Amino acid sequence: MAIYNLGSINADYFYRVPHLPAPGETLLANSHNVGLGGKGANQSVAAALAGREVHHIGAVGSDSGWILQRLKGSGVLCDHISISDDATGHAVIYVDDEGENSIVLFPGANRTLKKEIVEKSVVGSGETDLLLLQNETSLTAYCAEIAAAKGVKVIYSAAPFDPDALNSVQPFLDVLLLNEIEAEQYHAAFGKAVQDSGVPHVVITKGSSGIEYWNDGNVTEVAAIPAKPVDTTGAGDCFAGYFAAGIDEGMDFVTAIQLGAAAASIKVGRSGTSDAFPKRAEVDALLKAHR
């Protein structure tokens, strides 16, 4: 059993600000740091920290040695990451005193993936494996179709929300992950609730309000674990990676959702993205304390 993740890899540039900037406003940042990010890389790191075998599929620029080292240091296997002539993707992230964020994303090398890389990366996958996908790379639907034909379970985060991308990948999905804003965007784009999408399993995260799990028209509400937010950046990716790890481990959906919720609860109390993700022992301890 293994997790394959076709996902973005970014350098994250963090600026702590007193409030999110308004149009035309110039702000002095209180602090600045650089970290590993990208929805794909974040999810791979989370799943690896949860103890699973994770193969990342992606692309970076030639200036990315430190990024690959951080991925490998978290336990992510990087044999399917190619080096592009384009610059590594990056994000500029503003975080205010309430932990809310605003992000500007440059995709860079994430949009330069080649079909042969995707094909080679999933050659060894099979029915016991998972594929994670998001919307920050090229060839998402192509990879989903190949994996689904091999019996691989496909888990897709509909973020950043793009109705055309979602429409192209939806026939191959086993699990659709969205936050409550993306669920509203789905309804606006397709004229129906996301739980009526036809995807077998739909998971909607709602921050401190918890998580909705939809299956066959039935909903299960899973409570969030209370946390004092310091920085919410990457919390959804932390949830997704730990959730996928739980499914890969053989957990039922509700238990895997609880695992992801506990990991995200720890993460929002820390600054940063994947560098701030908890290790499995921390997550297990939090779950035990809340039983």
Side-chain angles (χ1 to χ4, degrees):
M1 300 172 72
I3 296 173
Y4 293 79
N5 184 3
L6 174 69
S8 56
I9 306 170
N10 292 335
D12 281 350
Y13 298 93
F14 286 93
Y15 297 87
R16 195 85 194 191
V17 291
H19 59 266
L20 299 182
E25 181 181 14
T26 299
L27 281 178
L28 289 177
N30 298 322
S31 63
H32 165 251
N33 60 70
V34 181
L36 170 65
K39 296 193 72 64
N42 290 344
Q43 292 184 10
S44 282
V45 168
L49 290 174
R52 308 313 295 167
E53 178 184 320
V54 181
H55 301 262
H56 195 93
I57 310 162
V60 293
S62 58
D63 57 344
S64 58
W66 69 272
I67 288 177
L68 295 178
Q69 286 303 312
R70 289 202 186 183
L71 282 169
K72 292 174 182 176
S74 298
V76 178
L77 300 173
C78 299
D79 293 346
H80 302 304
I81 296 176
S82 58
I83 306 299
S84 170
D85 291 334
D86 287 39
T88 300
H90 63 265
V92 176
I93 303 169
Y94 303 105
V95 182
D96 69 14
D97 289 339
E98 302 301 318
E100 292 300 325
N101 63 71
S102 178
I103 302 172
V104 178
L105 178 67
F106 173 70
N110 293 309
R111 298 291 189 183
T112 67
L113 284 165
K114 302 292 191 296
K115 285 187 175 181
E116 54 267 28
I117 296 295
V118 171
E119 291 165 358
K120 289 178 182 178
S121 65
V122 295
V123 164
S125 63
E127 294 182 358
T128 61
D129 299 322
L130 298 179
L131 173 67
L132 285 176
L133 297 169
Q134 318 83 34
N135 273 346
E136 291 182 346
T137 68
S138 53
L139 302 179
T140 302
Y142 182 73
C143 188
E145 184 174 9
I146 293 173
K150 293 170 66 66
V152 175
K153 297 180 184 67
V154 182
I155 301 175
Y156 171 77
S157 297
F161 188 82
D162 180 335
D164 292 333
L166 177 52
N167 203 44
S168 66
V169 77
Q170 189 166 295
F172 312 113
L173 302 183
D174 295 283
V175 185
L176 176 58
L177 300 179
L178 315 91
N179 62 29
E180 55 187 336
I181 293 174
E182 291 151 2
E184 293 171 359
Q185 291 173 316
Y186 184 98
H187 185 272
F190 297 105
K192 59 183 177 182
V194 66
Q195 56 265 31
D196 298 322
S197 63
V199 178
H201 304 278
V202 175
V203 178
I204 305 172
T205 59
K206 302 187 296 181
S208 60
S209 298
I211 303 100
E212 289 183 1
Y213 165 50
W214 289 87
N215 173 238
D216 197 25
N218 298 311
V219 63
T220 302
E221 299 274 357
V222 179
I225 296 176
K228 183 177 180 181
V230 171
D231 180 1
T232 60
T233 312
D237 301 330
C238 184
F239 170 86
Y242 261 89
F243 164 76
I247 297 297
D248 188 56
E249 196 173 302
M251 293 179 179
D252 63 76
F253 271 78
V254 171
T255 304
I257 288 169
Q258 290 170 334
L259 182 73
S265 175
I266 295 172
K267 192 276 137 204
V268 299
R270 301 171 177 174
S271 296
T273 45
S274 61
D275 296 328
F277 289 175
K279 295 181 179 179
R280 179 62 180 270
E282 298 175 84
V283 178
D284 288 342
L286 181 61
L287 282 169
K288 184 177 180 180
H290 279 79
R291 286 197 180 109

